[in-house]
Amino acid sequence: VFNHVINLHCDPKRSLKVSVSVYNTVLVFLSRERTVYAAREANRIIQQLIDQKYGVYPDPGCLSSSILAAARIPDSQWTCVAHNRLVEFAGLYLNEKNKFFPHPSAFTSVMHAWGKSNNVKAPEKVREVFNLLEKVLKTAGSAEIPNEIYSVYFSVLSQKEPEVAARQAEATIDRIGCGDTVLWNTVLAAWANSDSETKLKESLRILDKMPNADLISYNIILKAVSLSPKSNSKEALKIGHDILKRVKSSGTILPDRYTYGILIVSYRRLLEKSDPMRQQYIEMLVEECITQGLFSSVVGSQIRNEFSPDELKEKWNLELTKDEQQFKNIPSEWRRNLARKRTQKEILV
């Protein structure tokens, strides 16, 4: 269809002018394909528009979609293509050779692509993209980078350098005076994913510093608990238990499936099976899950691996299928609140 429209446009017998919205539509569809062919086509079309082949200059949507088409290919080569295109288009704007620049979403998509890449220069590239966006927005007259952009930047950076990202994110929050819970949770998640020996201590410090912690904040702390070294198991599990009590006594926040699932994983990971506290606390948490209607697939898989078929039958009247991979008879009442809406996307956890 695109080629047909272009042929009509180029026909000297016709006076048809194709608007930029047509190219925009085509590039949007190509960006959603997530195939190498689509990325190549998008790259070809945007180059022809830049070269003024059709007498139409690309708007921010065209520029952004061509970048997205490349950034969404899970390959370092195409990540580099997306990155180079982004630098090129931003450079044209900064040098006043183009009045348009790509949408911020194009910048964040390239950051995400570098975050998934195994390239050793990924952290450096993520910083380059962020600094470029900062320069572009400043030139465009934007007073400050939006909080959601900071959140994406530090979240992606934390995949490569979690402790560095946590410290930089906290310093940024202190500088801009931001009380945004999503951005604070990014700091918590960076500490939780780090290899720092003090990550639990730092996570609790950040939690106490946060003006508006939500359930995601507490679940991230529990993740840090689950990732603690076994040498620190007693202290870590005590913190996990205290966090659960804190959530239940808040009066405004309710535990969810992740809260219980992460805690059960923590007890199984940090305590030896010979430790009587292990199964005692797991049973207690499972009973709470059942009462709260939060018996999730994670909880089910954990107790299948923790208890024998006879113990499952005795404790909860649960029977396994022949392959012992599923339960035959989970009461719907146990799962009634699994669809409870979250206060924020669980992506940080």
Side-chain angles (χ1 to χ4, degrees):
V1 172
F2 173 72
N3 288 332
H4 177 64
V5 171
I6 296 307
N7 289 334
L8 290 175
H9 174 64
C10 296
D11 187 344
K13 297 179 182 179
R14 299 173 181 270
S15 58
L16 176 67
K17 181 172 177 60
V18 181
S19 71
V20 70
S21 62
V22 173
Y23 300 97
N24 214 328
T25 301
V26 173
L27 287 167
V28 165
F29 275 103
L30 288 173
S31 72
R32 293 173 180 170
E33 282 295 305
R34 300 175 187 267
T35 64
V36 171
Y37 172 77
R40 284 178 181 155
E41 282 297 291
N43 203 39
R44 178 181 66 81
I45 292 168
I46 198 68
Q47 188 60 55
Q48 291 175 338
L49 291 175
I50 291 287
D51 293 341
Q52 289 285 282
K53 181 175 180 179
Y54 306 123
V56 177
Y57 208 84
D59 66 2
C62 289
L63 298 173
S64 302
S65 294
S66 67
I67 292 168
L68 286 169
R72 287 172 173 167
I73 304 298
D75 182 278
S76 293
Q77 179 184 349
W78 282 102
T79 299
C80 288
V81 170
H83 182 97
N84 292 337
R85 277 300 195 186
L86 185 68
V87 172
E88 176 190 352
F89 298 156
L92 290 173
Y93 173 76
L94 293 171
N95 294 322
E96 299 182 352
K97 294 181 180 179
N98 184 7
K99 62 181 180 179
F100 299 123
F101 60 87
H103 290 305
S105 61
F107 290 81
T108 56
S109 69
V110 175
M111 288 187 210
H112 279 301
W114 281 120
K116 296 173 184 176
S117 167
N118 294 324
N119 193 307
V120 294
K121 293 185 177 180
E124 174 188 330
K125 295 294 185 181
V126 171
R127 290 190 184 90
E128 183 182 340
V129 172
F130 178 79
N131 291 336
L132 185 61
L133 175 58
E134 196 170 34
K135 189 181 295 185
V136 164
L137 291 179
K138 185 176 181 180
T139 303
S142 180
E144 187 60 76
I145 287 184
N147 289 336
E148 56 267 26
I149 300 294
Y150 277 122
S151 183
V152 170
Y153 168 57
F154 290 120
S155 179
V156 172
L157 189 60
S158 70
Q159 296 172 29
K160 305 297 181 182
E161 299 176 342
E163 188 170 346
V164 171
R167 295 191 187 282
Q168 289 182 359
E170 184 179 1
T172 298
I173 293 172
D174 290 340
R175 176 175 60 81
I176 65 179
C178 170
D180 182 81
T181 303
V182 177
L183 188 49
W184 277 109
N185 283 346
T186 303
V187 184
L188 280 176
W191 276 119
N193 291 322
S194 77
D195 294 326
S196 172
E197 294 181 357
T198 62
K199 67 180 178 183
L200 258 181
K201 178 181 177 182
E202 291 293 337
S203 297
L204 290 171
R205 179 182 65 80
I206 295 297
L207 184 67
D208 291 335
K209 190 176 178 180
M210 289 177 67
N212 298 299
D214 61 7
L215 179 59
I216 305 300
S217 313
Y218 293 112
N219 282 349
I220 294 172
I221 299 288
L222 293 178
K223 182 182 180 182
V225 168
S226 72
L227 296 175
S228 297
K230 287 188 176 182
S231 59
N232 192 37
S233 61
K234 298 294 184 183
E235 181 184 353
L237 289 171
K238 182 181 183 305
I239 290 172
H241 189 67
D242 290 344
I243 289 294
L244 180 60
K245 287 173 60 178
R246 191 165 166 178
V247 169
K248 291 194 293 186
S249 64
S250 68
T252 57
I253 301 174
L254 293 173
D256 66 1
R257 66 169 106 178
Y258 299 96
T259 311
Y260 291 109
I262 297 170
L263 266 174
I264 292 172
V265 169
S266 299
Y267 277 101
R268 293 196 68 230
R269 182 181 175 278
L270 295 176
L271 294 182
E272 297 296 334
K273 195 156 188 176
S274 57
D275 191 325
M277 297 292 289
R278 172 166 151 161
Q279 289 203 352
Q280 178 183 335
Y281 274 101
I282 290 175
E283 286 186 47
M284 179 194 74
L285 291 168
V286 172
E287 292 296 338
E288 285 193 28
C289 282
I290 292 171
T291 302
Q292 297 291 332
L294 294 170
F295 190 92
S296 67
S297 58
V298 172
V299 173
S301 66
Q302 290 298 312
I303 64 172
R304 280 200 309 273
N305 293 318
E306 180 68 23
F307 300 98
S308 69
D310 289 340
E311 288 174 323
L312 291 169
K313 176 71 174 175
E314 179 187 347
K315 296 176 187 298
W316 298 291
N317 196 31
L318 289 172
E319 296 182 12
L320 293 169
T321 55
K322 288 184 179 180
D323 59 6
E324 297 190 352
Q325 296 301 307
Q326 293 181 357
F327 292 114
K328 294 180 181 178
N329 56 335
I330 300 176
S332 58
E333 184 71 9
W334 291 12
R335 304 169 64 86
R336 67 186 182 279
N337 287 323
L338 288 182
R340 181 188 295 157
K341 290 183 178 180
R342 316 300 310 288
T343 56
Q344 176 190 323
K345 288 181 180 179
E346 193 68 22
I347 191 169
L348 291 174
V349 177

